[in-house]
Amino acid sequence: LFFFLFSVCVSATSNDALIVDSDATAIKANRDIPVVSYANVLERATPSVVAVYTSSMVASRNSATGVPRGMEDLLRQFGFQIPGGSQGYNDSTEKSPRQESTGVGSGVIISSDGYIVTNHHVVTSRRGEPVDEIRVRLSDDREYIAELIGSDAKTDVAVLRINTEEELAALTIANSDLLKVGDIVFAIGNPLEIGLTATQGIVSATGRNSLNILGRGGYENFIQTDASINLGNSGGALIDAWGRLVGINTAIVSGSGGSIGIGFAIPSNMT
């Protein structure tokens, strides 16, 4: 992840250097007082997680038949007469472009000047094509149009940038190689578009690969966690008990589409 971030950002511009805060210290007990609440940790970390919305321009068929869009093709397929229309297509029924929402995900601010990490699949359409517009919503509801700096399908990582005159709250990046099974982690993101949400769990395993989540040729070295990850969490932050970024939430294994406690995150420094 470090290598990818620096390579895409350096290649984007020769004048702007990506400056991130890193901390390679292993997690350990802080004093002799047991931790009973992580409210302060989450209060600091949550403003660094954003919601990501994508949209694309698509061609739509204008129809005066009164049949809902998409139903005409289905009716024709089974040979039904279209009310107020003809049995075949009418080429004079023009196709006009319209902007259509294509996805919702999350992202993580990694530098105060606006660099954001998310998943490659968050900023591409279901067909794997680049989307036409990416909007980023901060935790205070400010919205920005984001520029796609770089994206890589094999690691499922993408880097965005937004232009803002104010410095943004950026997460410190931890050394994910020091994670151990049993370490407490939090998944922060925008699940099911209900708003920024934090869920708690532990590191269930590290080094998960050969899962075919990223397809043939994908570089898989996932952190497995039982912190709840749902649709919309993709691209969000997996943080440790000190509020440092240890991974980017990416996928789940589920028969229902909802979280069953088997989630995967891309480690902050992939080996």
Side-chain angles (χ1 to χ4, degrees):
L1 180 57
F2 274 126
F3 175 77
F4 178 76
L5 291 177
F6 282 109
S7 62
V8 297
C9 292
V10 170
S11 63
T13 170
S14 59
N15 296 323
D16 291 340
L18 177 62
I19 301 175
V20 299
D21 188 12
S22 61
D23 182 356
T25 307
I27 198 77
K28 59 184 179 181
N30 189 4
R31 302 176 183 165
D32 295 325
I33 303 174
V35 177
V36 294
S37 174
Y38 291 92
N40 291 338
V41 171
L42 293 174
E43 186 177 6
R44 292 193 303 269
T46 300
S48 301
V49 182
V50 302
V52 178
Y53 300 90
T54 59
S55 58
S56 294
M57 298 301 295
V58 297
S60 62
R61 182 178 299 277
N62 293 332
S63 173
T65 65
V67 177
R69 182 178 285 113
M71 284 297 294
E72 289 188 13
D73 290 340
L74 182 62
L75 291 173
R76 287 190 178 96
Q77 181 180 349
F78 288 96
F80 291 101
Q81 183 70 32
I82 306 301
S86 62
Q87 186 69 16
Y89 283 104
N90 182 355
D91 289 337
S92 64
T93 304
E94 66 302 335
K95 292 182 178 180
S96 58
R98 62 187 176 88
Q99 192 160 333
E100 184 178 82
S101 175
T102 55
V104 179
S106 305
V108 184
I109 300 171
I110 59 166
S111 70
S112 60
D113 57 347
Y115 283 98
I116 296 169
V117 178
T118 186
N119 284 139
H120 168 80
H121 75 261
V122 168
V123 294
T124 53
S125 69
R126 293 181 180 88
R127 297 180 178 180
E129 301 169 346
V131 296
D132 292 318
E133 183 181 84
I134 304 170
R135 289 184 296 113
V136 168
R137 179 181 295 169
L138 305 186
S139 61
D140 60 5
D141 289 334
R142 286 180 295 165
E143 286 195 7
Y144 298 89
I145 299 297
E147 174 189 4
L148 179 62
I149 300 298
S151 190
D152 179 52
K154 290 186 177 181
T155 56
D156 200 16
V157 174
V159 177
L160 313 175
R161 191 179 188 186
I162 59 175
N163 292 319
T164 172
E165 296 179 356
E166 300 178 14
E167 288 193 353
L168 301 176
L171 276 183
T172 296
I173 301 176
N175 182 356
S176 57
D177 288 345
L178 299 178
L179 282 176
K180 296 179 180 179
V181 173
D183 283 351
I184 290 175
V185 288
F186 298 89
I188 309 175
N190 180 31
L192 305 175
E193 205 179 347
I194 63 173
L196 287 179
T197 302
T199 57
Q200 181 186 4
I202 63 169
V203 174
S204 304
T206 59
R208 290 296 197 204
N209 53 36
S210 302
L211 301 174
N212 201 33
I213 290 175
L214 302 183
R216 178 176 293 183
Y219 301 121
E220 297 186 350
N221 184 29
F222 292 115
I223 301 164
Q224 182 181 331
T225 179
D226 64 347
S228 293
I229 297 174
N230 288 286
L231 294 175
N233 271 116
S234 290
L238 188 71
I239 66 170
D240 63 17
W242 285 359
R244 304 174 303 179
L245 183 69
V246 294
I248 301 297
N249 300 320
T250 300
I252 61 174
V253 171
S254 172
S256 64
S259 174
I260 59 172
I262 306 176
F264 300 97
I266 301 168
S268 59
N269 49 325
M270 190 178 298
T271 56

